[in-house]
Amino acid sequence: MLKNRKTDTKPDLSFFEIVYEVAKLIPYGRVTSYGAIANYLSTGLSARMVGWAMNKCHTDSKIPAHRVVNRNGMLTGKHHFGGSNVMQQLLESEGIKVKNDTVVDFKKLFWDPNIELGIRK
């Protein structure tokens, strides 16, 4: 478990692997954004790289890539899930409502790793 983004990450992990470790911490029924993960990793300008990481892991059931959306709650990575509705179906199976490819109550369901993991900037 990542407790401190600077000391608990292993230096031999790639950026993608570190992103996956954070994604695994997103609770069932919650969502976060690419930018929130990037900010947590102190790489605020790397939200796009977090997106690339999520696009590469969507078939790994141990990584809940479907819980990572854009900063507005939109399912921008949905086309990487093997079907136009798979990402939405995964979210809805966790009780998350989606309308027009956007998470309903996004602010309420938003999981910020900086706050939730007890690390604030």
Side-chain angles (χ1 to χ4, degrees):
M1 180 172 184
L2 296 173
K3 291 183 181 177
N4 183 307
R5 62 181 162 234
K6 299 204 187 305
T7 61
D8 286 353
T9 56
K10 298 176 184 175
D12 58 334
L13 292 178
S14 72
F15 179 78
F16 280 21
E17 290 169 325
I18 295 168
V19 168
Y20 301 152
E21 290 302 311
V22 175
K24 289 177 188 178
L25 300 174
I26 305 166
Y28 182 93
R30 302 282 300 277
V31 292
T32 196
S33 68
Y34 307 107
I37 292 175
N39 286 334
Y40 175 75
L41 296 175
S42 297
T43 58
L45 300 176
S46 298
R48 184 166 290 170
M49 285 187 65
V50 171
W52 291 337
M54 292 294 98
N55 292 343
K56 286 195 151 279
C57 76
H58 66 275
T59 58
D60 185 339
S61 63
K62 294 179 184 174
I63 303 168
H66 63 284
R67 295 180 189 153
V68 185
V69 297
N70 84 357
R71 64 187 173 93
N72 297 313
M74 292 184 68
L75 282 54
T76 53
K78 73 178 193 168
H79 59 281
H80 293 280
F81 283 83
S84 62
N85 293 322
V86 174
M87 185 176 185
Q88 179 173 337
Q89 290 169 344
L90 289 167
L91 290 169
E92 288 175 340
S93 74
E94 296 185 16
I96 298 172
K97 293 180 183 175
V98 177
K99 183 177 181 181
N100 298 325
D101 292 332
T102 303
V103 173
V104 176
D105 293 327
F106 175 64
K107 289 182 181 182
K108 178 182 173 187
L109 298 172
F110 184 72
W111 181 81
D112 185 341
N114 281 311
I115 294 171
E116 304 290 343
L117 297 177
I119 300 168
R120 297 176 191 242
K121 287 188 167 186

